[in-house]
Amino acid sequence: MPLEPQPGTWYIVVTCQKCGSTVFVFRDLTDGKGSINATYSVTCPRCQQKGDYDGRHYQHSHKSSAL
Ligand SMILES: [Zn+2]
């Protein structure tokens, strides 16, 4: 089940190496303050590409970013 990003909430995300979309891995309970020293196995919900990625912090904003 894909995550529904909530505005103002931090997430651990990765960037799909195939289609470049941002993939939400899980809710960042440290609000961006924690350090990430982990690699996550993620399947992209858009293109189904599976890979191992270094996670990064991401705060979802109210603004919709035009791609
Ligand atoms: Zn993808």
Side-chain angles (χ1 to χ4, degrees):
M1 190 172 83
L3 269 174
E4 281 287 334
Q6 304 297 313
T9 301
W10 286 86
Y11 295 90
I12 304 297
V13 302
V14 302
T15 302
C16 176
Q17 62 191 183
K18 186 176 180 185
C19 73
S21 63
T22 300
V23 183
F24 291 84
V25 184
F26 54 79
R27 171 82 201 281
D28 181 6
L29 298 175
T30 69
D31 288 339
K33 299 185 188 74
S35 59
I36 303 175
N37 290 305
T39 301
Y40 304 101
S41 288
V42 176
T43 301
C44 176
R46 183 179 293 181
C47 71
Q48 312 303 319
Q49 169 77 13
K50 191 176 183 183
D52 296 320
Y53 304 96
D54 294 327
R56 59 186 170 87
H57 297 283
Y58 170 81
Q59 186 181 29
H60 197 62
S61 82
H62 292 268
K63 301 171 195 165
S64 57
S65 55
L67 292 173

Coordinates of all heavy atoms in Angstrom, one line a residue:
M1 N 0.9 -1.2 0.0 CA 0.0 0.0 0.0 C 0.9 1.2 0.0 O 1.7 1.4 0.9 CB -0.9 0.0 1.2 CG -2.0 1.1 1.2 SD -3.2 0.9 2.6 CE -2.2 1.7 3.9
P2 N 0.8 2.1 -1.0 CA 1.6 3.3 -1.0 C 1.3 4.3 0.1 O 0.1 4.4 0.5 CB 1.3 3.9 -2.4 CG 0.0 3.3 -2.9 CD -0.1 2.0 -2.1
L3 N 2.3 5.0 0.5 CA 2.1 6.0 1.5 C 1.4 7.2 0.9 O 1.7 7.6 -0.2 CB 3.5 6.5 2.1 CG 4.1 5.8 3.3 CD1 5.5 6.3 3.5 CD2 3.2 6.1 4.5
E4 N 0.5 7.8 1.7 CA -0.1 9.1 1.3 C 0.6 10.2 2.1 O 0.5 10.3 3.3 CB -1.6 9.1 1.7 CG -2.5 8.4 0.8 CD -2.7 9.1 -0.5 OE1 -2.5 10.4 -0.5 OE2 -2.9 8.5 -1.5
P5 N 1.5 10.9 1.4 CA 2.3 11.9 2.1 C 1.4 13.0 2.7 O 0.6 13.6 2.0 CB 3.2 12.5 1.0 CG 2.9 11.9 -0.2 CD 1.8 10.9 0.0
Q6 N 1.7 13.4 4.0 CA 1.0 14.4 4.6 C 1.8 15.7 4.7 O 3.0 15.6 4.9 CB 0.6 14.0 6.1 CG -0.2 12.7 6.2 CD -1.5 12.8 5.5 OE1 -2.3 13.8 5.7 NE2 -1.8 11.8 4.7
P7 N 1.2 16.9 4.4 CA 2.0 18.1 4.4 C 2.6 18.4 5.7 O 2.0 18.2 6.8 CB 0.9 19.2 4.1 CG -0.1 18.5 3.3 CD -0.1 17.1 3.9
G8 N 3.9 18.8 5.7 CA 4.6 19.2 6.9 C 5.2 18.0 7.6 O 5.8 18.1 8.7
T9 N 5.0 16.8 7.1 CA 5.5 15.6 7.7 C 6.8 15.1 7.0 O 6.9 15.2 5.8 CB 4.5 14.5 7.6 OG1 3.3 14.9 8.3 CG2 4.9 13.2 8.3
W10 N 7.7 14.6 7.9 CA 9.0 14.2 7.3 C 8.9 12.7 6.9 O 8.3 11.9 7.6 CB 10.1 14.3 8.4 CG 10.5 15.8 8.5 CD1 9.9 16.7 9.3 CD2 11.6 16.4 7.9 NE1 10.6 17.9 9.2 CE2 11.6 17.8 8.3 CE3 12.6 16.0 6.9 CZ2 12.6 18.7 7.9 CZ3 13.5 16.9 6.5 CH2 13.5 18.3 7.0
Y11 N 9.6 12.4 5.9 CA 9.7 11.0 5.4 C 11.1 10.6 5.1 O 11.9 11.5 4.7 CB 8.8 10.8 4.2 CG 7.3 11.0 4.5 CD1 6.7 12.2 4.3 CD2 6.5 9.9 4.9 CE1 5.4 12.4 4.6 CE2 5.2 10.1 5.2 CZ 4.6 11.3 5.1 OH 3.3 11.5 5.3
I12 N 11.4 9.3 5.1 CA 12.6 8.8 4.5 C 12.2 8.5 3.1 O 11.3 7.7 2.8 CB 13.1 7.6 5.2 CG1 13.4 7.9 6.7 CG2 14.4 7.0 4.5 CD1 14.4 8.9 7.0
V13 N 12.9 9.0 2.1 CA 12.6 8.8 0.7 C 13.9 8.3 0.0 O 15.0 8.6 0.4 CB 12.0 10.0 0.1 CG1 10.8 10.5 0.8 CG2 13.0 11.2 0.0
V14 N 13.6 7.8 -1.2 CA 14.7 7.5 -2.1 C 14.3 7.9 -3.5 O 13.1 8.2 -3.7 CB 15.0 5.9 -2.1 CG1 15.4 5.4 -0.8 CG2 13.9 5.2 -2.7
T15 N 15.2 8.1 -4.4 CA 14.9 8.5 -5.7 C 15.1 7.3 -6.6 O 16.2 6.7 -6.7 CB 15.8 9.6 -6.2 OG1 15.7 10.7 -5.3 CG2 15.5 10.1 -7.6
C16 N 14.1 7.0 -7.4 CA 14.2 5.8 -8.3 C 15.2 6.0 -9.3 O 15.3 7.1 -10.0 CB 12.8 5.6 -8.9 SG 12.8 4.3 -10.2
Q17 N 16.1 5.1 -9.5 CA 17.2 5.2 -10.4 C 16.8 5.0 -11.9 O 17.5 5.4 -12.8 CB 18.3 4.2 -10.1 CG 17.9 2.8 -10.2 CD 19.0 1.8 -9.7 OE1 18.8 0.6 -9.8 NE2 20.0 2.3 -9.1
K18 N 15.6 4.6 -12.1 CA 15.1 4.4 -13.4 C 14.2 5.5 -13.9 O 14.5 6.1 -15.0 CB 14.3 3.1 -13.5 CG 13.9 2.7 -14.9 CD 13.2 1.3 -14.9 CE 12.8 1.0 -16.4 NZ 12.0 -0.3 -16.4
C19 N 13.2 5.9 -13.1 CA 12.3 6.9 -13.6 C 12.5 8.3 -12.9 O 11.9 9.3 -13.2 CB 10.9 6.5 -13.5 SG 10.2 6.4 -11.9
G20 N 13.3 8.2 -11.8 CA 13.7 9.5 -11.1 C 12.6 10.0 -10.2 O 12.7 11.1 -9.6
S21 N 11.5 9.2 -9.9 CA 10.5 9.7 -9.1 C 10.9 9.5 -7.6 O 11.7 8.6 -7.3 CB 9.2 9.0 -9.4 OG 9.3 7.6 -9.1
T22 N 10.3 10.3 -6.7 CA 10.6 10.2 -5.3 C 9.7 9.1 -4.7 O 8.5 9.1 -4.9 CB 10.3 11.5 -4.6 OG1 11.1 12.5 -5.1 CG2 10.5 11.4 -3.1
V23 N 10.3 8.1 -4.1 CA 9.6 7.0 -3.5 C 9.6 7.1 -2.0 O 10.7 7.2 -1.4 CB 10.2 5.7 -3.9 CG1 9.4 4.5 -3.4 CG2 10.3 5.6 -5.4
F24 N 8.5 7.2 -1.3 CA 8.4 7.3 0.1 C 8.6 5.9 0.7 O 7.9 5.0 0.4 CB 7.0 7.8 0.5 CG 6.8 9.3 0.1 CD1 6.4 9.6 -1.2 CD2 7.1 10.3 1.0 CE1 6.3 10.9 -1.5 CE2 6.9 11.6 0.7 CZ 6.5 12.0 -0.6
V25 N 9.6 5.8 1.6 CA 9.9 4.5 2.2 C 9.1 4.4 3.5 O 8.3 3.4 3.7 CB 11.4 4.4 2.5 CG1 11.7 3.0 3.0 CG2 12.2 4.6 1.2
F26 N 9.2 5.3 4.4 CA 8.4 5.3 5.7 C 8.5 6.7 6.3 O 9.3 7.5 6.0 CB 8.9 4.2 6.6 CG 10.3 4.2 7.0 CD1 10.8 5.1 7.9 CD2 11.2 3.3 6.4 CE1 12.2 5.2 8.3 CE2 12.6 3.4 6.7 CZ 13.0 4.3 7.7
R27 N 7.6 6.9 7.3 CA 7.5 8.1 8.1 C 8.8 8.3 8.9 O 9.3 7.4 9.5 CB 6.3 8.0 9.0 CG 6.2 9.1 10.1 CD 5.6 10.3 9.5 NE 5.9 11.5 10.4 CZ 5.3 11.7 11.5 NH1 4.4 11.0 11.9 NH2 5.7 12.8 12.3
D28 N 9.4 9.5 8.8 CA 10.6 9.8 9.6 C 10.2 10.3 10.9 O 9.8 11.5 11.1 CB 11.4 10.9 8.8 CG 12.7 11.2 9.5 OD1 13.0 10.6 10.6 OD2 13.4 12.1 9.1
L29 N 10.3 9.5 11.9 CA 9.9 9.8 13.3 C 10.8 10.8 14.0 O 10.4 11.3 15.0 CB 9.7 8.5 14.1 CG 8.7 7.5 13.6 CD1 8.7 6.3 14.4 CD2 7.3 8.1 13.6
T30 N 12.0 11.1 13.4 CA 12.9 12.0 14.0 C 12.7 13.4 13.5 O 13.4 14.3 13.8 CB 14.3 11.6 13.8 OG1 14.7 11.7 12.4 CG2 14.6 10.2 14.2
D31 N 11.7 13.6 12.6 CA 11.5 14.9 11.9 C 12.7 15.5 11.3 O 13.0 16.7 11.4 CB 10.9 15.9 12.9 CG 9.5 15.6 13.3 OD1 8.8 14.9 12.6 OD2 9.0 16.0 14.4
G32 N 13.4 14.7 10.6 CA 14.6 15.1 9.8 C 15.9 15.3 10.6 O 16.9 15.6 10.1
K33 N 15.8 15.0 12.0 CA 17.0 15.2 12.8 C 17.9 14.0 12.9 O 19.1 14.2 13.2 CB 16.6 15.7 14.2 CG 15.8 16.9 14.3 CD 15.5 17.3 15.7 CE 14.5 18.5 15.8 NZ 13.1 18.1 15.5
G34 N 17.4 12.9 12.6 CA 18.2 11.7 12.7 C 19.2 11.5 11.6 O 19.1 12.2 10.5
S35 N 20.1 10.7 11.7 CA 21.0 10.4 10.6 C 20.7 9.1 10.0 O 20.1 8.2 10.6 CB 22.5 10.3 11.2 OG 22.6 9.3 12.1
I36 N 20.9 9.0 8.7 CA 20.6 7.8 8.0 C 21.8 7.1 7.6 O 22.7 7.6 6.9 CB 19.8 8.1 6.7 CG1 18.5 8.9 7.1 CG2 19.4 6.8 6.0 CD1 17.8 9.4 5.8
N37 N 22.0 5.9 8.1 CA 23.1 5.0 7.7 C 22.6 3.7 7.3 O 22.9 2.7 7.8 CB 24.1 4.9 8.8 CG 24.8 6.2 9.1 OD1 25.4 6.8 8.2 ND2 24.8 6.6 10.4
A38 N 21.7 3.7 6.3 CA 21.0 2.5 6.0 C 20.7 2.5 4.5 O 20.6 3.6 3.9 CB 19.7 2.3 6.7
T39 N 20.7 1.3 3.9 CA 20.3 1.2 2.6 C 18.9 0.4 2.5 O 18.7 -0.5 3.3 CB 21.3 0.4 1.8 OG1 22.6 1.0 1.9 CG2 21.0 0.2 0.3
Y40 N 18.1 0.9 1.7 CA 16.7 0.3 1.7 C 16.4 -0.3 0.3 O 16.8 0.2 -0.7 CB 15.7 1.4 1.9 CG 15.9 2.2 3.2 CD1 16.5 3.4 3.2 CD2 15.5 1.6 4.4 CE1 16.7 4.1 4.4 CE2 15.8 2.3 5.6 CZ 16.3 3.5 5.6 OH 16.6 4.2 6.8
S41 N 15.9 -1.5 0.4 CA 15.4 -2.2 -0.8 C 14.0 -1.7 -1.1 O 13.1 -1.9 -0.3 CB 15.4 -3.7 -0.6 OG 16.7 -4.2 -0.6
V42 N 13.9 -1.0 -2.2 CA 12.6 -0.4 -2.5 C 12.2 -0.7 -3.9 O 13.0 -0.8 -4.9 CB 12.7 1.2 -2.4 CG1 11.5 1.9 -2.9 CG2 13.1 1.6 -1.0
T43 N 10.9 -1.0 -4.1 CA 10.3 -1.2 -5.4 C 9.5 0.1 -5.8 O 8.6 0.5 -5.0 CB 9.4 -2.4 -5.5 OG1 10.1 -3.6 -5.1 CG2 8.8 -2.6 -6.9
C44 N 9.9 0.7 -6.9 CA 9.2 1.9 -7.3 C 7.8 1.6 -7.7 O 7.5 0.7 -8.5 CB 10.0 2.5 -8.5 SG 9.2 4.0 -9.2
P45 N 6.8 2.4 -7.1 CA 5.4 2.1 -7.4 C 5.0 2.6 -8.8 O 4.0 2.2 -9.3 CB 4.7 3.0 -6.3 CG 5.6 4.0 -5.9 CD 7.0 3.4 -6.1
R46 N 5.9 3.4 -9.4 CA 5.5 3.9 -10.7 C 6.0 3.0 -11.8 O 5.3 2.7 -12.8 CB 6.1 5.3 -10.9 CG 5.8 6.0 -12.2 CD 6.4 7.3 -12.4 NE 5.8 8.3 -11.5 CZ 6.1 9.6 -11.5 NH1 7.0 10.1 -12.3 NH2 5.5 10.4 -10.6
C47 N 7.3 2.6 -11.7 CA 7.9 1.8 -12.9 C 8.2 0.4 -12.5 O 8.7 -0.4 -13.3 CB 9.1 2.5 -13.5 SG 10.5 2.5 -12.4
Q48 N 8.0 0.1 -11.2 CA 8.3 -1.3 -10.6 C 9.8 -1.6 -10.6 O 10.1 -2.8 -10.4 CB 7.5 -2.4 -11.4 CG 6.1 -2.0 -11.6 CD 5.3 -1.8 -10.3 OE1 5.5 -2.6 -9.4 NE2 4.5 -0.8 -10.3
Q49 N 10.7 -0.7 -10.8 CA 12.1 -0.9 -10.7 C 12.4 -1.2 -9.3 O 12.1 -0.4 -8.4 CB 12.9 0.3 -11.2 CG 14.3 0.3 -10.9 CD 15.1 -0.6 -11.9 OE1 14.6 -1.0 -12.9 NE2 16.3 -0.9 -11.6
K50 N 13.2 -2.3 -9.1 CA 13.6 -2.6 -7.7 C 15.1 -2.3 -7.5 O 15.9 -2.7 -8.4 CB 13.3 -4.1 -7.4 CG 13.4 -4.4 -5.9 CD 13.0 -5.9 -5.6 CE 13.1 -6.1 -4.2 NZ 12.8 -7.5 -3.9
G51 N 15.4 -1.7 -6.4 CA 16.9 -1.4 -6.2 C 17.2 -1.2 -4.8 O 16.2 -1.0 -3.9
D52 N 18.4 -1.1 -4.5 CA 18.9 -0.7 -3.1 C 19.4 0.7 -3.2 O 20.2 1.1 -4.0 CB 20.0 -1.6 -2.7 CG 19.6 -3.1 -2.6 OD1 18.5 -3.3 -2.1 OD2 20.4 -3.9 -3.0
Y53 N 18.8 1.5 -2.2 CA 19.1 3.0 -2.3 C 19.5 3.5 -0.9 O 19.0 2.9 0.1 CB 17.8 3.8 -2.7 CG 17.2 3.3 -4.0 CD1 16.2 2.4 -4.1 CD2 17.7 3.9 -5.2 CE1 15.6 2.1 -5.3 CE2 17.2 3.5 -6.4 CZ 16.1 2.6 -6.4 OH 15.6 2.3 -7.6
D54 N 20.3 4.5 -0.9 CA 20.5 5.3 0.4 C 19.3 6.2 0.6 O 19.0 7.0 -0.2 CB 21.8 6.1 0.3 CG 23.0 5.2 0.2 OD1 23.0 4.1 0.7 OD2 24.0 5.6 -0.5
G55 N 18.8 6.1 1.8 CA 17.6 7.0 2.1 C 18.1 8.4 2.4 O 19.2 8.7 2.7
R56 N 17.1 9.3 2.3 CA 17.4 10.7 2.6 C 16.1 11.3 3.3 O 15.0 10.7 3.1 CB 17.8 11.5 1.4 CG 16.8 11.6 0.3 CD 17.3 12.3 -0.9 NE 16.5 12.1 -2.0 CZ 15.4 12.9 -2.3 NH1 15.1 13.9 -1.5 NH2 14.7 12.7 -3.4
H57 N 16.3 12.4 4.0 CA 15.2 13.0 4.7 C 14.4 13.9 3.7 O 15.0 14.5 2.8 CB 15.6 13.9 5.8 CG 16.3 13.1 6.9 ND1 15.6 12.4 7.9 CD2 17.6 12.9 7.2 CE1 16.4 11.8 8.7 NE2 17.7 12.1 8.3
Y58 N 13.1 13.9 3.8 CA 12.3 14.8 2.9 C 11.1 15.2 3.7 O 10.4 14.4 4.3 CB 11.9 13.9 1.7 CG 10.9 14.6 0.8 CD1 11.3 15.6 -0.1 CD2 9.5 14.3 0.9 CE1 10.3 16.2 -0.9 CE2 8.6 14.9 0.1 CZ 9.0 15.9 -0.8 OH 8.1 16.5 -1.6
Q59 N 10.9 16.6 3.7 CA 9.7 17.1 4.3 C 8.7 17.4 3.2 O 8.9 18.3 2.4 CB 10.0 18.3 5.1 CG 8.8 18.8 5.9 CD 9.0 20.0 6.8 OE1 9.9 20.8 6.4 NE2 8.3 20.1 7.8
H60 N 7.6 16.8 3.3 CA 6.5 17.1 2.3 C 5.9 18.4 2.6 O 5.6 18.8 3.7 CB 5.4 16.0 2.4 CG 4.5 16.0 1.2 ND1 5.0 15.7 0.0 CD2 3.2 16.2 1.1 CE1 4.0 15.7 -0.9 NE2 2.9 16.0 -0.2
S61 N 5.7 19.2 1.5 CA 5.3 20.6 1.7 C 3.9 20.8 1.1 O 3.4 19.9 0.4 CB 6.2 21.6 1.1 OG 5.9 21.7 -0.3
H62 N 3.3 21.9 1.5 CA 1.9 22.2 1.0 C 1.9 22.5 -0.5 O 1.0 22.2 -1.1 CB 1.3 23.3 1.8 CG 1.0 23.0 3.2 ND1 -0.2 22.6 3.7 CD2 1.8 23.1 4.3 CE1 -0.2 22.4 5.0 NE2 1.0 22.7 5.4
K63 N 3.0 23.1 -0.9 CA 3.1 23.5 -2.3 C 3.2 22.2 -3.2 O 4.0 21.3 -2.9 CB 4.3 24.4 -2.5 CG 4.3 25.6 -1.7 CD 5.6 26.3 -1.8 CE 5.8 27.4 -0.8 NZ 7.2 27.8 -0.7
S64 N 2.4 22.2 -4.2 CA 2.6 21.2 -5.2 C 3.7 21.6 -6.2 O 3.6 22.6 -6.8 CB 1.2 21.0 -5.9 OG 0.8 22.1 -6.5
S65 N 4.6 20.7 -6.3 CA 5.7 21.0 -7.2 C 5.4 20.6 -8.6 O 5.0 19.5 -8.9 CB 7.0 20.3 -6.7 OG 6.8 18.9 -6.6
A66 N 5.5 21.6 -9.5 CA 5.2 21.3 -10.9 C 6.4 20.6 -11.5 O 7.6 21.1 -11.4 CB 5.0 22.6 -11.6
L67 N 6.2 19.4 -12.0 CA 7.3 18.7 -12.6 C 7.3 18.9 -14.1 O 6.4 18.7 -14.8 CB 7.1 17.2 -12.3 CG 7.3 16.9 -10.8 CD1 7.0 15.4 -10.6 CD2 8.7 17.1 -10.4
Ligands
ZN1 ZN 10.7 4.3 -10.9

